[in-house]
Amino acid sequence: MFFSFVDELRAAGIPASMKEHLILLEALDRDVIERTPEAFYYLARATFVKDEGLLDRFDQVFAKVFRGISTTFGNAAAAIPEDWLKAIAEKYLTPEEMAAIQSLGSWEEIMETLRKRLEEQQGRHQGGNKWIGTGGTSPYGNSGYNPEGVRIGGESQHKRALKVWEGREFKNLDSTRELGTRNIKVAMRRLRRFAREGAADELDIDATIDGTARQGWLDIRMRPERHNAVKLLLFLDVGGSMDPWVKLCEELFSAATSEFKNLEFFYFHNCLYEGVWKDNRRRFTERTPTWDVLHKFGHDYKVIFVGDASMSPYEISHPGGSVEHYNEEAGAIWMQRVTSTYPASVWLNPIPEEQWGYSQSVRILRELMNDRMYPLTLAGLDDAMRELSRKT
C-alpha cells in the first residue's frame, strides 16, 4: 500500500525509506489520526520530511499522488497533456461585461455547483462561462474573470476567489529557491557552538534542584547565559551588478545579526582590495585598511563573502584593475591573504549555479576560494554552513 507514494517521494529527492513507510502504515493501523485527507497529509509529512527545505516538494508529490496534480520533480510523464497546464491569455472584458457576470449566490450553492460540474465534466475546457477551465467567465478554474468563484490551480488574477485549491503553503521553503530572512536564520543555525561566559546571572534549575536535594535546604545555583560563541566576519559586495540583489543581502544581513553575537561586517565592491568600509555613504572617505582587519580579528573567525563575482577578470588578476581606484596589488593577492588567515571561509553567490560557467571572473574567484563558492539558496547556504562547521 502507498508504494507509488514512496516512489514519487524518492523521485522528488525526498529520502523515503521502507522503515518510514512501515511507520506510516502502523500509525494508520492504530488509528492515531482522524480518517480525513487533511489528517493523513500531516501524518505523512511528519513521517517522511526531516528537512523543512523539502516541504514544498512534499506538497507537490502529495498533490500528484492523491489528487492527480503533476509536479516538476521526477521523470514520469504527466498524465495530463502539457497544453492543459498552460492558461490561455486572459480574456479582456469591458466593465459592462464584467458587471453582467452574476455571482452564483451563497457559499453552499457555489460548492454544490462545483461538485456537480466535477461529476459532469469529462475533459478540458477553456474560455467559457460554465465548465471548470482556464480563461472565460466560469466561476471555476483560473486565469479568467468572475466576481466570486473557486480558483483551481493557476495564479491569482483578480484576488476575488472564495476558495483556492492546490495552494502550496511551503513554496518559499523549497531548498532550490532563493532565501528569505526566516529561512536564512534556519540554515545559519547549523553554525553554532554554544558556550557560557560572563557573569552568572541565569538560574541553573538542574543544579539548584540537585544542590537542594543534597543539602536539605534551598541551594540556589546561578550560571552564565548560554550564547553562540561562533565569531563571524561578513564581507558584502555592494553597488553595480549587485543592485538587483540588495533585498536578498539585506535579509541575509538581518538574519546574521540576529544569529551571531560576535559579528563584524564590511563592504567591498566587486573584489576585495586594500580597503573596506562600514558605511556606504562614506565609502570613499572612511575606509578601513584590509590589513587592519586581518590583524585585529583572530584566526578563529569564520568568513563569509557575499557577491555575484561578476566583473572584468582584470579586476581580480592585475594591479590597477579596480574600476573605482588604482589598486597597487591585485585583488587575487588580497583574497589569498584572507583565505590563508581564515581557513574557514566561503563565498555565497546569488547568481544561479548553472550560470557560473559563463563568467570567467566567477571561475577565478571560485578557484581562489578553493572551490568553496555556494549558491545563495537554502540548500547552498546549508552546504556553506556545514563547510564552515568543519573548519577549525
Side-chain angles (χ1 to χ4, degrees), residues 305-322:
F305 286 93
V306 182
D308 60 4
S310 300
M311 67 199 84
S312 166
Y314 296 109
E315 294 185 60
I316 307 171
S317 60
H318 285 67
S322 170

Side-chain angles (χ1 to χ4, degrees), residues 228-301:
N228 188 0
V230 170
K231 302 174 182 178
L232 183 66
L233 278 174
L234 186 62
F235 291 95
L236 299 160
D237 183 6
V238 294
S241 59
M242 280 297 293
D243 286 346
W245 313 108
V246 168
K247 183 177 184 295
L248 183 59
C249 289
E250 287 176 346
E251 292 172 341
L252 176 66
F253 181 77
S254 174
T257 53
S258 67
E259 287 296 318
F260 298 97
K261 182 178 180 180
N262 300 310
L263 169 69
E264 294 289 340
F265 68 93
F266 297 94
Y267 297 108
F268 69 99
H269 181 59
N270 283 355
C271 187
L272 188 70
Y273 299 112
E274 70 278 3
V276 291
W277 58 94
K278 301 278 287 186
D279 189 339
N280 281 314
R281 293 171 298 180
R282 298 181 176 86
R283 60 187 293 182
F284 297 108
T285 58
E286 297 182 6
R287 293 196 172 220
T288 301
T290 307
W291 271 123
D292 290 356
V293 176
L294 298 180
H295 287 95
K296 180 178 180 181
F297 303 103
H299 301 307
D300 57 338
Y301 270 80

